[in-house]
Amino acid sequence: MPPTRKGYATAYLWEETWARNSVLDLVRQFIHEVEEEDEKGRKTGRRFLIFPRYQQLDCVRKLVTDARAAVPGSAT
């Protein structure tokens, strides 16, 4: 049975996610640095990055593309 996809299963990483324009978009819109807070809401000084999962990133990009293509006021 032939494969349903050509190339490597992880090819989307360098073809889509790590492509130059994609990385710039990730940094600009999707990757967030957050400072941790303790149980009283005080900042602890520890920082970490929030990075989207591929499925979340793909879905948001498709929704934005669809919204930009839709004609305002028309039923879709």
Side-chain angles (χ1 to χ4, degrees):
M1 178 176 218
T4 57
R5 204 174 202 191
K6 292 183 180 182
Y8 295 101
T10 57
Y12 69 91
L13 280 172
W14 58 85
E15 292 173 356
E16 297 174 32
T17 306
W18 297 124
R20 180 184 299 175
N21 289 339
S22 178
V23 169
L24 294 174
D25 188 46
L26 284 168
V27 171
R28 186 171 60 91
Q29 294 188 28
F30 293 99
I31 299 174
H32 299 282
E33 183 181 33
V34 178
E35 189 170 354
E36 185 179 64
E37 295 180 355
D38 64 14
E39 58 279 343
K40 294 183 180 178
R42 295 179 298 209
K43 298 189 182 229
T44 64
R46 286 188 60 205
R47 296 178 176 272
F48 57 94
L49 292 177
I50 297 177
F51 193 87
R53 292 185 177 127
Y54 175 77
Q55 294 84 351
Q56 294 166 322
L57 178 63
D58 186 49
C59 180
V60 168
R61 286 179 172 170
K62 286 178 181 176
L63 287 169
V64 169
T65 300
D66 186 57
R68 286 182 177 155
V71 178
S74 68
T76 55

